[in-house]
Amino acid sequence: MSAPLTHTGSGEQFPAVRDLVGIGFGPANLALAIAVAEHNTGRPSGEAVRAAFVERQAAFGWHPGMLLDGATMQVSFLKDLVTLRNPASPHSFLQYLREHGRLTDFINQKTFFPTRIEFHDYFRWCAEDFTGQVSYGTEVTGVTPVPAEDPDGPVEVLAVHHRPAGTADADTGPGGAPLYAHNLALGTGLIPRLPQGVRRGPHLWHNSELLHRTRALTGLTHRRFVVVGAGQSAAEAAEHLHRTFPEAEVCAVFARYGYSPADDSPFANRIFDPAAVDAFYTAPDEVKDRLLGYHGNTNYSVVDGDLITQLYRTVYQEKVSGTERLRILNTSEVADVRTEDGGAVATVRSLIDGTTAALHCDAVVYATGYRAPDPRDLLGDLVEECLTDGRGRLRIGRDHRVATTPRLRAGIYLQGAGTEHTHGLTSSLLSTLAVRSGEICDSLLLSGAERAVRTGRNRPAATAAAGPHPTGLRS
Protein backbone atom coordinates (compact mmCIF):
# COMPACT_ATOMS: atom_id res chain seq x y z
CA MET A 1 0.00 0.00 0.00
CA SER A 2 2.44 2.57 -1.20
CA ALA A 3 1.71 6.25 -1.57
CA PRO A 4 3.42 9.30 -3.01
CA LEU A 5 5.49 11.40 -0.65
CA THR A 6 3.96 14.35 1.07
CA HIS A 7 5.26 16.84 3.61
CA THR A 8 4.52 16.72 7.31
CA GLY A 9 4.25 19.79 9.45
CA SER A 10 7.90 19.37 10.44
CA GLY A 11 9.14 19.45 6.86
CA GLU A 12 10.07 15.74 6.88
CA GLN A 13 8.76 13.42 4.22
CA PHE A 14 6.87 10.14 4.56
CA PRO A 15 4.04 8.38 2.70
CA ALA A 16 0.69 10.19 2.57
CA VAL A 17 -1.27 10.38 5.78
CA ARG A 18 -4.67 8.70 5.79
CA ASP A 19 -7.50 10.04 7.84
CA LEU A 20 -8.04 6.52 9.13
CA VAL A 21 -6.21 3.22 9.31
CA GLY A 22 -8.32 0.32 10.53
CA ILE A 23 -6.55 -2.58 12.20
CA GLY A 24 -8.55 -5.70 11.46
CA PHE A 25 -11.21 -6.06 8.79
CA GLY A 26 -13.99 -8.10 10.29
CA PRO A 27 -17.64 -7.01 10.40
CA ALA A 28 -16.93 -4.00 12.67
CA ASN A 29 -14.38 -2.26 10.47
CA LEU A 30 -16.26 -3.41 7.37
CA ALA A 31 -19.30 -1.52 8.64
CA LEU A 32 -17.06 1.50 9.25
CA ALA A 33 -15.62 1.26 5.73
CA ILE A 34 -19.17 1.34 4.34
CA ALA A 35 -20.12 4.35 6.47
CA VAL A 36 -17.01 6.19 5.26
CA ALA A 37 -17.72 5.26 1.63
CA GLU A 38 -21.29 6.50 1.89
CA HIS A 39 -20.04 9.78 3.34
CA ASN A 40 -17.56 10.12 0.47
CA THR A 41 -20.10 9.46 -2.27
CA GLY A 42 -20.81 12.63 -4.24
CA ARG A 43 -18.33 14.74 -2.29
CA PRO A 44 -15.24 16.38 -3.80
CA SER A 45 -11.98 14.59 -3.09
CA GLY A 46 -10.89 17.24 -0.61
CA GLU A 47 -13.84 16.37 1.62
CA ALA A 48 -13.41 12.60 1.41
CA VAL A 49 -12.25 10.54 4.37
CA ARG A 50 -9.18 8.61 3.23
CA ALA A 51 -9.15 5.15 4.79
CA ALA A 52 -7.07 1.99 4.61
CA PHE A 53 -7.33 -1.29 6.50
CA VAL A 54 -4.95 -4.06 7.55
CA GLU A 55 -6.17 -7.63 8.03
CA ARG A 56 -4.22 -10.67 9.22
CA GLN A 57 -6.33 -13.21 7.34
CA ALA A 58 -5.57 -13.88 3.68
CA ALA A 59 -9.17 -13.03 2.72
CA PHE A 60 -12.29 -11.84 4.44
CA GLY A 61 -13.61 -14.35 6.96
CA TRP A 62 -15.93 -14.29 9.98
CA HIS A 63 -15.61 -17.28 12.33
CA PRO A 64 -15.13 -19.66 9.38
CA GLY A 65 -14.55 -22.62 11.70
CA MET A 66 -18.12 -22.34 13.02
CA LEU A 67 -20.04 -21.96 9.77
CA LEU A 68 -21.98 -25.12 10.55
CA ASP A 69 -24.71 -26.41 8.26
CA GLY A 70 -28.08 -25.24 9.52
CA ALA A 71 -26.73 -22.96 12.26
CA THR A 72 -28.72 -19.73 12.28
CA MET A 73 -27.95 -16.22 13.41
CA GLN A 74 -29.05 -15.12 16.87
CA VAL A 75 -29.61 -11.59 15.59
CA SER A 76 -32.18 -10.25 13.13
CA PHE A 77 -31.07 -9.67 9.54
CA LEU A 78 -32.24 -6.06 10.03
CA LYS A 79 -29.25 -5.61 12.33
CA ASP A 80 -26.91 -5.96 9.38
CA LEU A 81 -23.98 -3.66 8.61
CA VAL A 82 -26.07 -0.65 7.59
CA THR A 83 -29.85 -0.75 8.05
CA LEU A 84 -30.18 0.81 11.51
CA ARG A 85 -28.00 3.70 10.30
CA ASN A 86 -29.19 3.99 6.71
CA PRO A 87 -32.12 1.79 5.62
CA ALA A 88 -31.57 2.94 2.00
CA SER A 89 -27.95 1.76 1.92
CA PRO A 90 -26.93 -0.34 -1.10
CA HIS A 91 -25.02 -2.61 1.30
CA SER A 92 -28.02 -3.97 3.20
CA PHE A 93 -28.82 -7.66 3.58
CA LEU A 94 -32.01 -7.10 1.57
CA GLN A 95 -29.96 -5.62 -1.29
CA TYR A 96 -27.70 -8.68 -1.09
CA LEU A 97 -30.72 -10.96 -1.39
CA ARG A 98 -32.09 -8.92 -4.28
CA GLU A 99 -28.81 -9.06 -6.19
CA HIS A 100 -28.61 -12.82 -5.70
CA GLY A 101 -32.22 -13.41 -6.76
CA ARG A 102 -33.37 -14.75 -3.40
CA LEU A 103 -35.38 -11.89 -1.93
CA THR A 104 -38.85 -13.40 -2.34
CA ASP A 105 -37.58 -16.87 -1.42
CA PHE A 106 -36.15 -15.50 1.83
CA ILE A 107 -39.40 -13.69 2.61
CA ASN A 108 -41.32 -16.94 2.14
CA GLN A 109 -39.28 -18.54 4.93
CA LYS A 110 -41.03 -16.19 7.40
CA THR A 111 -37.93 -15.76 9.54
CA PHE A 112 -35.77 -12.91 10.77
CA PHE A 113 -32.79 -15.22 11.23
CA PRO A 114 -30.76 -16.32 8.18
CA THR A 115 -28.25 -19.11 8.42
CA ARG A 116 -24.78 -18.20 9.56
CA ILE A 117 -23.40 -19.39 6.22
CA GLU A 118 -25.67 -16.99 4.31
CA PHE A 119 -24.88 -14.04 6.59
CA HIS A 120 -21.18 -14.74 6.18
CA ASP A 121 -21.67 -14.64 2.42
CA TYR A 122 -23.44 -11.29 2.83
CA PHE A 123 -20.41 -9.94 4.73
CA ARG A 124 -18.09 -11.27 2.03
CA TRP A 125 -20.27 -9.66 -0.69
CA CYS A 126 -19.95 -6.29 1.06
CA ALA A 127 -16.20 -6.72 1.59
CA GLU A 128 -15.63 -7.19 -2.14
CA ASP A 129 -16.27 -3.46 -2.65
CA PHE A 130 -13.28 -2.57 -0.46
CA THR A 131 -10.59 -4.92 -1.71
CA GLY A 132 -8.47 -1.99 -2.88
CA GLN A 133 -8.47 -0.48 0.60
CA VAL A 134 -7.53 -3.63 2.52
CA SER A 135 -4.08 -5.16 2.88
CA TYR A 136 -4.92 -8.82 3.54
CA GLY A 137 -2.39 -11.29 4.93
CA THR A 138 -0.79 -8.51 6.97
CA GLU A 139 -0.44 -8.19 10.72
CA VAL A 140 0.27 -5.05 12.70
CA THR A 141 3.31 -5.24 14.96
CA GLY A 142 2.98 -1.90 16.70
CA VAL A 143 1.97 1.73 16.60
CA THR A 144 4.33 4.64 17.22
CA PRO A 145 3.88 8.42 17.30
CA VAL A 146 5.30 10.54 14.53
CA PRO A 147 7.07 13.40 16.29
CA ALA A 148 6.40 16.99 15.38
CA GLU A 149 9.16 19.58 15.22
CA ASP A 150 9.20 19.57 19.01
CA PRO A 151 9.73 15.98 20.26
CA ASP A 152 7.65 16.84 23.32
CA GLY A 153 5.01 18.57 21.25
CA PRO A 154 1.59 17.29 20.22
CA VAL A 155 1.22 14.06 18.23
CA GLU A 156 -1.05 14.45 15.22
CA VAL A 157 0.08 11.40 13.22
CA LEU A 158 0.58 7.74 14.11
CA ALA A 159 2.75 5.21 12.27
CA VAL A 160 1.29 1.71 11.91
CA HIS A 161 4.06 -0.89 11.54
CA HIS A 162 3.23 -4.18 9.87
CA ARG A 163 4.63 -7.33 8.29
CA PRO A 164 3.29 -10.32 6.36
CA ALA A 165 1.12 -12.46 8.62
CA GLY A 166 2.69 -15.59 10.05
CA THR A 167 6.30 -14.43 9.73
CA ALA A 168 7.01 -13.59 13.37
CA ASP A 169 9.54 -16.40 13.72
CA ALA A 170 10.98 -16.16 10.23
CA ASP A 171 13.97 -14.14 9.09
CA THR A 172 12.00 -11.93 6.74
CA GLY A 173 13.77 -8.66 7.43
CA PRO A 174 11.84 -5.48 8.17
CA GLY A 175 8.19 -5.19 7.27
CA GLY A 176 6.77 -2.83 4.68
CA ALA A 177 6.80 0.92 4.98
CA PRO A 178 4.54 2.05 7.83
CA LEU A 179 1.08 3.35 7.18
CA TYR A 180 0.51 6.83 8.56
CA ALA A 181 -2.81 8.00 9.94
CA HIS A 182 -4.50 10.73 11.90
CA ASN A 183 -6.81 8.11 13.43
CA LEU A 184 -6.85 4.39 14.16
CA ALA A 185 -9.84 2.08 14.46
CA LEU A 186 -8.94 -1.11 16.33
CA GLY A 187 -11.26 -3.90 15.24
CA THR A 188 -9.17 -6.98 15.92
CA GLY A 189 -12.02 -9.08 17.30
CA LEU A 190 -11.89 -11.57 20.14
CA ILE A 191 -9.27 -14.17 21.08
CA PRO A 192 -10.27 -17.82 21.71
CA ARG A 193 -9.97 -18.68 25.40
CA LEU A 194 -8.77 -22.03 26.75
CA PRO A 195 -8.50 -23.14 30.37
CA GLN A 196 -5.15 -22.52 32.01
CA GLY A 197 -2.58 -25.13 31.05
CA VAL A 198 -4.47 -26.38 27.98
CA ARG A 199 -2.71 -26.00 24.65
CA ARG A 200 -4.21 -26.56 21.25
CA GLY A 201 -3.07 -29.59 19.33
CA PRO A 202 -4.23 -32.24 16.85
CA HIS A 203 -6.63 -33.65 19.47
CA LEU A 204 -7.30 -30.57 21.63
CA TRP A 205 -9.33 -27.90 19.83
CA HIS A 206 -11.10 -24.67 20.50
CA ASN A 207 -14.53 -24.66 18.90
CA SER A 208 -13.44 -21.76 16.65
CA GLU A 209 -11.51 -24.31 14.54
CA LEU A 210 -14.16 -27.04 14.62
CA LEU A 211 -14.85 -27.30 10.89
CA HIS A 212 -11.19 -27.10 9.91
CA ARG A 213 -10.27 -29.90 12.33
CA THR A 214 -13.17 -32.24 11.60
CA ARG A 215 -12.67 -31.98 7.85
CA ALA A 216 -9.09 -33.10 8.34
CA LEU A 217 -10.06 -36.24 10.27
CA THR A 218 -9.43 -39.33 8.19
CA GLY A 219 -10.59 -41.88 10.74
CA LEU A 220 -11.62 -42.33 14.35
CA THR A 221 -9.57 -44.32 16.82
CA HIS A 222 -11.81 -44.13 19.89
CA ARG A 223 -15.13 -43.16 18.29
CA ARG A 224 -15.73 -40.52 20.92
CA PHE A 225 -15.62 -36.74 21.27
CA VAL A 226 -15.73 -34.64 24.42
CA VAL A 227 -17.23 -31.13 24.20
CA VAL A 228 -16.56 -28.78 27.12
CA GLY A 229 -18.90 -25.85 27.72
CA ALA A 230 -22.55 -24.94 28.19
CA GLY A 231 -23.08 -22.05 25.76
CA GLN A 232 -24.40 -21.77 22.22
CA SER A 233 -21.12 -22.76 20.58
CA ALA A 234 -20.79 -25.82 22.83
CA ALA A 235 -24.31 -26.98 22.04
CA GLU A 236 -23.76 -26.40 18.31
CA ALA A 237 -20.46 -28.31 18.43
CA ALA A 238 -22.09 -31.26 20.19
CA GLU A 239 -24.95 -31.35 17.70
CA HIS A 240 -22.57 -31.04 14.72
CA LEU A 241 -20.26 -33.84 15.88
CA HIS A 242 -23.19 -36.10 16.73
CA ARG A 243 -24.68 -35.57 13.26
CA THR A 244 -21.40 -35.67 11.30
CA PHE A 245 -19.95 -38.79 12.93
CA PRO A 246 -22.86 -41.24 13.32
CA GLU A 247 -20.48 -43.96 14.55
CA ALA A 248 -19.14 -41.83 17.41
CA GLU A 249 -20.25 -40.98 20.94
CA VAL A 250 -20.38 -37.32 21.93
CA CYS A 251 -19.97 -36.40 25.61
CA ALA A 252 -21.09 -32.88 26.56
CA VAL A 253 -19.39 -31.83 29.81
CA PHE A 254 -20.45 -28.77 31.78
CA ALA A 255 -20.82 -27.61 35.37
CA ARG A 256 -24.49 -26.63 35.08
CA TYR A 257 -27.36 -29.02 35.57
CA GLY A 258 -28.53 -28.38 32.03
CA TYR A 259 -28.24 -26.02 29.12
CA SER A 260 -29.79 -22.63 29.96
CA PRO A 261 -31.97 -20.88 27.36
CA ALA A 262 -31.00 -17.47 26.05
CA ASP A 263 -33.34 -14.67 27.06
CA ASP A 264 -34.40 -13.29 23.70
CA SER A 265 -37.69 -11.86 24.91
CA PRO A 266 -38.63 -8.42 23.51
CA PHE A 267 -38.02 -6.36 26.63
CA ALA A 268 -34.70 -8.04 27.41
CA ASN A 269 -33.59 -7.56 23.81
CA ARG A 270 -33.89 -3.82 24.25
CA ILE A 271 -30.53 -3.98 26.05
CA PHE A 272 -29.08 -4.24 22.52
CA ASP A 273 -30.84 -1.13 21.18
CA PRO A 274 -28.75 1.94 20.28
CA ALA A 275 -30.69 3.92 22.90
CA ALA A 276 -29.60 1.41 25.54
CA VAL A 277 -25.97 2.24 24.75
CA ASP A 278 -26.69 5.89 25.59
CA ALA A 279 -28.34 4.90 28.86
CA PHE A 280 -25.57 2.46 29.80
CA TYR A 281 -22.81 4.92 29.00
CA THR A 282 -24.20 7.60 31.32
CA ALA A 283 -25.06 5.21 34.18
CA PRO A 284 -22.94 5.09 37.36
CA ASP A 285 -20.41 2.26 37.49
CA GLU A 286 -22.40 0.31 40.08
CA VAL A 287 -25.48 0.44 37.83
CA LYS A 288 -23.41 -0.68 34.84
CA ASP A 289 -22.22 -3.71 36.83
CA ARG A 290 -25.79 -4.57 37.83
CA LEU A 291 -27.07 -4.29 34.25
CA LEU A 292 -24.33 -6.56 32.97
CA GLY A 293 -25.25 -9.06 35.67
CA TYR A 294 -28.98 -8.82 35.08
CA HIS A 295 -28.77 -9.34 31.34
CA GLY A 296 -25.76 -11.60 30.90
CA ASN A 297 -28.22 -14.39 30.08
CA THR A 298 -29.03 -12.67 26.81
CA ASN A 299 -25.57 -13.56 25.50
CA TYR A 300 -23.24 -15.48 27.82
CA SER A 301 -23.33 -19.26 28.45
CA VAL A 302 -26.83 -19.62 27.06
CA VAL A 303 -28.32 -21.60 24.20
CA ASP A 304 -31.10 -21.03 21.68
CA GLY A 305 -34.27 -22.68 22.97
CA ASP A 306 -34.96 -24.64 19.77
CA LEU A 307 -31.48 -26.19 19.89
CA ILE A 308 -31.96 -27.19 23.53
CA THR A 309 -35.21 -28.90 22.58
CA GLN A 310 -33.52 -30.68 19.67
CA LEU A 311 -30.69 -31.98 21.83
CA TYR A 312 -33.05 -33.13 24.58
CA ARG A 313 -35.19 -34.95 22.05
CA THR A 314 -32.08 -36.66 20.67
CA VAL A 315 -31.03 -37.83 24.15
CA TYR A 316 -34.50 -39.15 24.85
CA GLN A 317 -34.90 -40.99 21.54
CA GLU A 318 -31.53 -42.65 22.00
CA LYS A 319 -32.62 -43.87 25.42
CA VAL A 320 -35.70 -45.35 23.79
CA SER A 321 -33.62 -47.09 21.12
CA GLY A 322 -31.02 -48.32 23.61
CA THR A 323 -28.09 -46.73 21.79
CA GLU A 324 -27.00 -43.62 23.64
CA ARG A 325 -24.47 -41.65 21.58
CA LEU A 326 -25.20 -38.17 22.97
CA ARG A 327 -24.27 -38.17 26.64
CA ILE A 328 -24.87 -35.15 28.86
CA LEU A 329 -22.31 -35.17 31.68
CA ASN A 330 -23.76 -32.32 33.72
CA THR A 331 -22.55 -30.98 37.08
CA SER A 332 -19.11 -32.12 35.98
CA GLU A 333 -15.76 -30.71 34.89
CA VAL A 334 -12.73 -31.83 32.92
CA ALA A 335 -10.19 -32.14 35.72
CA ASP A 336 -7.31 -33.21 33.48
CA VAL A 337 -6.63 -33.79 29.81
CA ARG A 338 -3.63 -35.33 28.08
CA THR A 339 -2.88 -36.47 24.59
CA GLU A 340 -2.15 -40.04 23.59
CA ASP A 341 -1.49 -41.82 20.33
CA GLY A 342 -4.43 -41.22 18.06
CA GLY A 343 -6.38 -39.09 20.52
CA ALA A 344 -6.67 -37.72 24.03
CA VAL A 345 -7.75 -38.77 27.50
CA ALA A 346 -10.11 -36.47 29.39
CA THR A 347 -10.58 -37.08 33.10
CA VAL A 348 -14.11 -35.98 33.97
CA ARG A 349 -14.91 -35.34 37.63
CA SER A 350 -18.38 -35.09 39.14
CA LEU A 351 -18.93 -31.91 41.11
CA ILE A 352 -21.52 -33.76 43.21
CA ASP A 353 -19.57 -36.70 44.61
CA GLY A 354 -16.03 -36.23 43.26
CA THR A 355 -15.96 -39.47 41.28
CA THR A 356 -13.89 -39.47 38.10
CA ALA A 357 -13.99 -41.23 34.76
CA ALA A 358 -11.28 -41.37 32.09
CA LEU A 359 -12.71 -40.85 28.62
CA HIS A 360 -10.46 -41.92 25.75
CA CYS A 361 -11.52 -39.81 22.80
CA ASP A 362 -10.51 -38.65 19.35
CA ALA A 363 -10.66 -35.00 20.36
CA VAL A 364 -11.58 -32.68 23.20
CA VAL A 365 -13.38 -29.57 21.94
CA TYR A 366 -13.25 -26.58 24.28
CA ALA A 367 -16.19 -24.25 23.68
CA THR A 368 -14.94 -22.02 26.47
CA GLY A 369 -15.53 -18.62 24.94
CA TYR A 370 -13.34 -15.72 23.98
CA ARG A 371 -11.53 -12.88 25.64
CA ALA A 372 -11.12 -9.31 24.53
CA PRO A 373 -7.56 -8.36 23.54
CA ASP A 374 -6.04 -5.43 25.39
CA PRO A 375 -5.70 -2.67 22.78
CA ARG A 376 -2.77 -1.30 24.76
CA ASP A 377 -0.65 -4.24 23.60
CA LEU A 378 -0.27 -2.56 20.19
CA LEU A 379 0.28 0.96 21.42
CA GLY A 380 3.75 0.75 22.98
CA ASP A 381 4.80 4.08 24.49
CA LEU A 382 1.47 5.59 23.48
CA VAL A 383 -0.05 3.77 26.45
CA GLU A 384 1.33 6.55 28.63
CA GLU A 385 -0.92 9.00 26.79
CA CYS A 386 -4.09 6.92 27.32
CA LEU A 387 -6.25 7.73 30.33
CA THR A 388 -7.73 5.07 32.62
CA ASP A 389 -10.48 4.90 35.20
CA GLY A 390 -10.23 3.92 38.85
CA ARG A 391 -10.07 0.23 37.91
CA GLY A 392 -7.25 0.62 35.42
CA ARG A 393 -9.55 0.32 32.40
CA LEU A 394 -9.27 2.59 29.40
CA ARG A 395 -11.51 5.63 29.48
CA ILE A 396 -13.54 5.68 26.28
CA GLY A 397 -15.72 8.48 24.95
CA ARG A 398 -19.27 8.01 23.81
CA ASP A 399 -17.90 8.27 20.25
CA HIS A 400 -15.76 5.15 20.97
CA ARG A 401 -12.55 7.19 21.06
CA VAL A 402 -9.99 6.47 23.76
CA ALA A 403 -9.53 9.42 26.11
CA THR A 404 -5.94 10.64 26.00
CA THR A 405 -3.71 13.39 27.29
CA PRO A 406 -3.81 16.68 25.35
CA ARG A 407 -0.47 15.75 23.76
CA LEU A 408 -1.99 12.88 21.77
CA ARG A 409 -4.25 14.53 19.23
CA ALA A 410 -4.41 11.54 16.90
CA GLY A 411 -7.54 9.51 17.54
CA ILE A 412 -7.69 5.88 18.69
CA TYR A 413 -11.13 4.29 18.30
CA LEU A 414 -12.09 0.91 19.73
CA GLN A 415 -14.41 -1.26 17.69
CA GLY A 416 -16.15 -3.52 20.16
CA ALA A 417 -13.71 -5.64 22.15
CA GLY A 418 -12.61 -3.95 25.36
CA THR A 419 -15.50 -1.48 25.56
CA GLU A 420 -18.14 -3.47 27.42
CA HIS A 421 -17.42 -1.57 30.63
CA THR A 422 -18.40 1.70 28.94
CA HIS A 423 -20.82 0.79 26.15
CA GLY A 424 -22.51 -2.37 27.42
CA LEU A 425 -23.37 -5.81 26.12
CA THR A 426 -23.51 -4.82 22.45
CA SER A 427 -19.80 -4.02 22.37
CA SER A 428 -18.58 -7.26 20.81
CA LEU A 429 -21.84 -8.18 19.07
CA LEU A 430 -23.39 -7.34 15.72
CA SER A 431 -26.47 -5.53 17.05
CA THR A 432 -25.23 -1.93 16.86
CA LEU A 433 -22.48 -2.19 14.21
CA ALA A 434 -24.40 0.02 11.79
CA VAL A 435 -25.05 2.80 14.29
CA ARG A 436 -21.59 2.60 15.84
CA SER A 437 -19.90 2.94 12.45
CA GLY A 438 -21.88 6.11 11.81
CA GLU A 439 -20.91 7.51 15.20
CA ILE A 440 -17.22 6.87 14.55
CA CYS A 441 -17.45 8.36 11.05
CA ASP A 442 -19.08 11.49 12.49
CA SER A 443 -16.33 11.74 15.10
CA LEU A 444 -13.66 11.42 12.40
CA LEU A 445 -15.22 14.30 10.50
CA LEU A 446 -15.35 16.45 13.63
CA SER A 447 -11.74 15.72 14.56
CA GLY A 448 -10.68 16.47 10.96
CA ALA A 449 -12.40 19.86 11.11
CA GLU A 450 -10.72 20.62 14.44
CA ARG A 451 -7.35 19.64 13.00
CA ALA A 452 -7.88 21.96 10.04
CA VAL A 453 -8.59 24.82 12.43
CA ARG A 454 -5.48 24.06 14.48
CA THR A 455 -3.19 23.90 11.46
CA GLY A 456 -4.83 26.82 9.70
CA ARG A 457 -5.07 25.02 6.39
CA ASN A 458 -7.52 23.00 4.39
CA ARG A 459 -7.16 19.27 4.16
CA PRO A 460 -5.17 18.05 1.16
CA ALA A 461 -7.05 16.36 -1.59
CA ALA A 462 -7.23 12.60 -1.36
CA THR A 463 -4.76 10.69 -3.49
CA ALA A 464 -5.36 7.51 -5.40
CA ALA A 465 -2.70 5.79 -3.34
CA ALA A 466 -4.71 6.31 -0.20
CA GLY A 467 -7.01 3.57 -1.47
CA PRO A 468 -9.85 3.81 -3.97
CA HIS A 469 -13.15 5.07 -2.68
CA PRO A 470 -15.99 2.82 -3.79
CA THR A 471 -17.80 5.06 -6.21
CA GLY A 472 -19.56 2.11 -7.76
CA LEU A 473 -21.75 1.42 -4.75
CA ARG A 474 -24.31 -1.31 -5.27
CA SER A 475 -27.22 -0.24 -7.39
Side-chain angles (χ1 to χ4, degrees), residues 137-422:
T138 303
E139 62 181 340
V140 172
T141 58
V143 178
T144 58
V146 176
E149 294 179 359
D150 178 4
D152 297 322
V155 175
E156 298 270 5
V157 178
L158 301 176
V160 180
H161 305 275
H162 55 88
R163 66 186 173 206
T167 60
D169 300 324
D171 184 14
T172 58
L179 298 174
Y180 295 92
H182 290 297
N183 299 279
L184 301 181
L186 275 60
T188 52
L190 300 171
I191 300 173
R193 179 171 53 202
L194 292 172
Q196 186 174 3
V198 174
R199 295 183 178 275
R200 296 192 201 191
H203 306 286
L204 297 176
W205 314 333
H206 187 270
N207 68 275
S208 59
E209 51 187 341
L210 181 65
L211 281 183
H212 308 318
R213 293 290 192 176
T214 54
R215 287 169 179 165
L217 284 179
T218 56
L220 302 182
T221 302
H222 303 287
R223 296 192 302 167
R224 177 186 287 138
F225 295 95
V226 171
V227 179
V228 183
Q232 180 72 23
S233 295
E236 288 179 352
E239 190 280 330
H240 174 77
L241 291 168
H242 183 270
R243 172 167 43 86
T244 306
F245 298 95
E247 74 280 23
E249 176 183 278
V250 178
C251 300
V253 181
F254 46 81
R256 299 185 178 207
Y257 201 83
Y259 292 116
S260 298
D263 185 356
D264 61 353
S265 56
F267 286 110
N269 266 344
R270 294 173 79 174
I271 196 68
F272 302 116
D273 291 353
V277 178
D278 289 328
F280 188 93
Y281 186 83
T282 58
D285 282 349
E286 61 271 18
V287 175
K288 287 185 172 77
D289 292 340
R290 289 167 64 182
L291 288 172
L292 291 174
Y294 290 153
H295 296 289
N297 65 344
T298 59
N299 182 54
Y300 295 118
S301 298
V302 289
V303 183
D304 177 76
D306 290 341
L307 181 55
I308 293 176
T309 300
Q310 177 185 341
L311 292 173
Y312 188 89
R313 184 177 291 116
T314 297
V315 170
Y316 180 78
Q317 293 298 335
E318 289 184 347
K319 285 183 178 180
V320 172
S321 68
T323 303
E324 298 182 38
R325 288 199 306 112
L326 180 57
R327 298 175 57 197
I328 306 298
L329 305 183
N330 59 356
T331 62
S332 300
E333 65 180 358
V334 174
D336 181 63
V337 61
R338 59 182 175 84
T339 58
E340 64 176 4
D341 290 343
V345 181
T347 301
V348 177
R349 178 170 58 211
S350 168
L351 298 176
I352 304 297
D353 57 20
T355 57
T356 61
L359 300 180
H360 295 260
C361 53
D362 294 280
V364 179
V365 182
Y366 283 93
T368 44
Y370 297 81
R371 65 176 177 86
D374 191 335
R376 289 170 285 196
D377 293 343
L378 283 176
L379 299 180
D381 293 341
L382 288 170
V383 168
E384 301 300 321
E385 309 294 339
C386 298
L387 304 181
T388 57
D389 63 14
R391 303 187 196 179
R393 304 171 300 187
L394 289 174
R395 287 171 49 189
I396 305 164
R398 179 59 186 85
D399 61 352
H400 312 279
R401 180 172 174 167
V402 175
T404 62
T405 64
R407 177 172 179 263
L408 182 55
R409 293 177 176 173
I412 301 172
Y413 294 85
L414 299 188
Q415 281 272 49
T419 65
E420 188 175 271
H421 67 286
T422 54

Side-chain angles (χ1 to χ4, degrees), residues 32 39 399 413 435-448:
L32 179 56
H39 163 79
D399 61 352
Y413 294 85
V435 174
R436 185 170 74 211
S437 64
E439 293 168 346
I440 294 176
C441 186
D442 288 345
S443 182
L444 291 172
L445 297 173
L446 179 61
S447 64

